[in-house]
Amino acid sequence: EIELTQSPATLSLSPGERATLSCRASQSFGSYLAWYQQKPGQAPRLVIYEASKRAPGIPDRFSGSGSGTDFTLTISSLQPEDCAVYYCQQRSIRPPLTFGGGTKVEIK
Amino acid sequence: EVQLVQSGGEVKKPGESLRISCQASGYSFTDYWINWVRQMPGKGLEWMGRIDPSDSRINYSPSFDGHVIISVDKSTTTAFLQWSSLKASDTAKYYCMTAHPGGYEYWGQGTLVTVSS
């Protein structure tokens, strides 16, 4: 089973700052990684799939990178509406399709 | 329009059985896997398993294998998640989800299951 470790647990930044979220895997699985955004009381929303592809409707301030075991989600200029918990998920052909523990992004 | 509509919230006692549902519409039901995801109160997301509606092939997470059963009914384009004996630790919100090509992904609204004596 592939384990995903996200860091930091909480990220507190000012509007307009760059947010960098990390997701590290216990073993390599290529580029089949997804990032989700979840706001309170809502279902998760896909932000990035296959490590670097933006999901439909996602603003271009969101970008993803990485492969193998190290992945990054970057929000280039943080907006108030970006406050949420972000989860990574491995989506290789090898189930279980585990999630990371999440990173909470807050506005200072 | 693709929609996944889940059944309503449930309040159950420990040891009771339960089946919750996820009705899909707006796409060819047998073309894409349906996943189930658990979120315990105040906690993160946990992938429980998935089913291929075309042949009912199932992958379970080891954490849930043997405790839940995932199934589908193709005639009603509905996926199910069921328990034969609920525990208090099953209290959570459960989501169904289907991922389509091109980053199109659809989630149900979630079903809150509360297990309490």
Side-chain angles (χ1 to χ4, degrees):
Chain A
E1 178 172 337
I2 298 172
E3 295 181 2
L4 299 178
T5 302
Q6 291 188 240
S7 62
T10 304
L11 196 52
S12 187
L13 297 167
S14 300
E17 286 195 297
R18 184 182 193 89
T20 302
L21 287 66
S22 173
C23 177
R24 179 160 290 176
S26 59
Q27 53 186 286
S28 178
F29 58 90
S31 298
Y32 293 100
L33 185 102
W35 288 95
Y36 288 91
Q37 176 192 71
Q38 189 180 32
K39 297 181 179 179
Q42 297 184 16
R45 179 190 185 192
L46 181 67
V47 177
I48 297 287
Y49 67 104
E50 293 177 17
S52 61
K53 298 177 181 178
R54 265 189 305 278
I58 298 299
D60 60 7
R61 63 180 180 273
F62 289 89
S63 63
S65 63
S67 66
T69 60
D70 287 291
F71 300 87
T72 301
L73 174 69
T74 302
I75 309 172
S76 60
S77 177
L78 194 65
Q79 301 300 307
E81 61 266 30
D82 301 333
C83 292
V85 180
Y86 291 83
Y87 298 94
C88 57
Q89 184 195 26
Q90 75 90 2
R91 299 194 17 185
S92 75
I93 62 172
R94 289 179 281 164
L97 307 184
T98 46
F99 286 95
T103 291
K104 185 177 183 179
V105 175
E106 300 176 333
I107 293 282
K108 275 185 186 174
Chain B
E1 179 194 7
V2 175
Q3 282 193 305
L4 296 180
V5 178
Q6 296 186 232
S7 49
E10 302 272 2
V11 179
K12 291 289 190 179
K13 290 182 166 47
E16 291 186 331
S17 63
L18 175 65
R19 188 176 78 165
I20 63 175
S21 66
C22 168
Q23 184 167 35
S25 62
Y27 71 99
S28 178
F29 182 66
T30 54
D31 282 356
Y32 305 105
W33 294 77
I34 290 195
N35 298 260
W36 286 95
V37 174
R38 182 175 81 172
Q39 189 164 39
M40 298 174 76
K43 301 298 184 183
L45 304 174
E46 299 174 272
W47 185 82
M48 303 176 70
R50 64 182 180 181
I51 186 165
D52 181 342
S54 67
D55 59 7
S56 292
R57 184 166 36 126
I58 302 171
N59 300 135
Y60 287 106
S61 165
S63 301
F64 295 93
D65 196 6
H67 187 57
V68 297
I69 295 174
I70 295 172
S71 61
V72 292
D73 180 344
K74 288 191 283 188
S75 68
T76 59
T77 64
T78 302
F80 300 97
L81 181 65
Q82 67 182 73
W83 297 258
S84 60
S85 181
L86 286 160
K87 303 176 184 177
S89 57
D90 294 317
T91 294
K93 197 158 196 178
Y94 295 87
Y95 293 99
C96 58
M97 180 274 281
T98 183
H100 296 186
Y104 290 91
E105 198 170 275
Y106 306 92
W107 289 69
Q109 81 276 21
T111 295
L112 182 62
V113 174
T114 304
V115 184
S116 173
S117 54

